[in-house]
């Protein structure tokens, strides 16, 4: 009986160790060098593109903006995810405006194994604007946040943040498809590694 209990305990310990070793860290890198401190991130809509909010099928456009910026600085340099509190966010030159940023929230980035890409989640974002359908407010989920898309890192040049998600809203449309492509202007050569 004692041998059976010991065998179960050893198996449980082996499973826990396997799970612990499978949880990888995420570290931001700049020009191929892993960072050991905070990283400031600045991004703006890719030239010639728009931020778009549409019905969840993507057929009916509800709002578009041709100017948008995101700024923040990471609070840690490595972890299961890297968190970047957003300290500035703008949506301008929109078909329905002005857009008021109620809460900016924070981004988290988690490395996609074997790549310099990261899954990006946004927690605690809320913005409001007037529309032909009444006042609309859209939000991202609480922790762990809404998976908004992918940060594609580069060793040189400018990384890209692709947003392609569905977010919760109020008003006529209770959820909307949000798409946008941002160019990371600072830092150059931003990557995501394990």
């Amino acid at each position: 009986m004692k041998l059976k209990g010991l065998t179960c305990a050893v198996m449980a310990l082996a499973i826990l160790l396997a799970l612990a070793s499978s949880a990888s860290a995420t570290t931001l890198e700049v020009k191929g060098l892993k960072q050991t401190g905070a990283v400031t991130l600045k991004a703006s809509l890719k030239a010639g593109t728009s931020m778009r909010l549409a019905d969840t099928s993507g057929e009916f456009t509800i709002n578009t903006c041709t100017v948008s910026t995101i700024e923040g600085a990471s609070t840690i340099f490595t972890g299961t995810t890297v968190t970047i509190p957003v300290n500035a966010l703008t949506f301008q030159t929109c078909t329905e405006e002005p857009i008021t940023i109620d809460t900016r929230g924070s981004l988290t980035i988690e490395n996609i194994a074997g790549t310099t890409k990261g899954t990006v989640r946004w927690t605690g974002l809320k913005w409001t604007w007037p529309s032909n359908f009444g006042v609309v407010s859209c939000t991202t989920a609480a922790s762990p946040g809404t998976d908004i898309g992918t940060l594609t890192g580069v060793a040189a040049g400018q990384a890209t943040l692709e947003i392609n998600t569905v977010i919760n809203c109020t008003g006529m449309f209770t959820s909307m498809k949000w798409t946008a492509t941002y160019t990371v202007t600072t830092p150059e050569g931003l990557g995501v590694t394990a």
Side-chain angles (χ1 to χ4, degrees):
M1 193 70 164
K2 286 184 180 181
L3 184 58
K4 186 176 180 182
L6 181 60
T7 302
C8 289
V10 169
M11 288 176 59
L13 181 60
I15 291 169
L16 287 173
L17 289 172
L19 289 173
S21 65
S22 68
S24 63
T26 297
T27 303
L28 298 181
E29 59 183 14
V30 176
K31 297 181 180 176
L33 299 174
K34 287 186 177 184
Q35 298 301 291
T36 58
V39 174
T40 297
L41 181 140
K42 295 182 181 179
S44 56
L45 277 179
K46 182 178 177 182
T49 69
S50 299
M51 183 280 289
R52 180 175 183 248
L53 290 166
D55 68 309
T56 53
S57 71
E59 293 179 18
F60 180 70
T61 299
I62 299 163
N63 199 358
T64 60
C65 302
T66 57
V67 177
S68 179
T69 59
I70 304 169
E71 293 184 17
S74 62
T75 54
I76 58 169
F77 61 89
T78 190
T80 304
T81 61
V82 174
T83 301
I84 302 176
V86 177
N87 55 37
L89 174 64
T90 63
F91 295 109
Q92 297 171 316
T93 317
C94 306
T95 53
E96 303 285 345
E97 59 181 5
I99 293 181
T100 301
I101 308 300
D102 302 306
T103 56
R104 294 183 297 267
S106 60
L107 302 171
T108 60
I109 302 170
E110 183 175 3
N111 177 251
I112 298 171
T115 72
T116 58
K117 296 180 179 183
T119 298
V120 181
R121 294 177 181 85
W122 204 320
T123 304
L125 170 64
K126 180 182 178 186
W127 76 96
T128 306
W129 77 91
S131 78
N132 293 330
F133 310 106
V135 175
V136 177
S137 287
C138 292
T139 59
T140 58
S143 184
T146 299
D147 182 342
I148 63 163
T150 304
L151 176 69
T152 301
V154 292
Q158 297 174 315
T160 303
L161 171 60
E162 294 274 354
I163 296 176
N164 186 357
T165 192
V166 173
I167 56 173
N168 293 325
C169 300
T170 61
M172 183 175 178
F173 298 92
T174 56
S175 57
M176 294 186 199
K177 186 171 185 178
W178 177 22
T179 55
T181 301
Y182 286 83
T183 299
V184 177
T185 55
T186 301
E188 286 195 14
L190 177 66
V192 185
T193 188

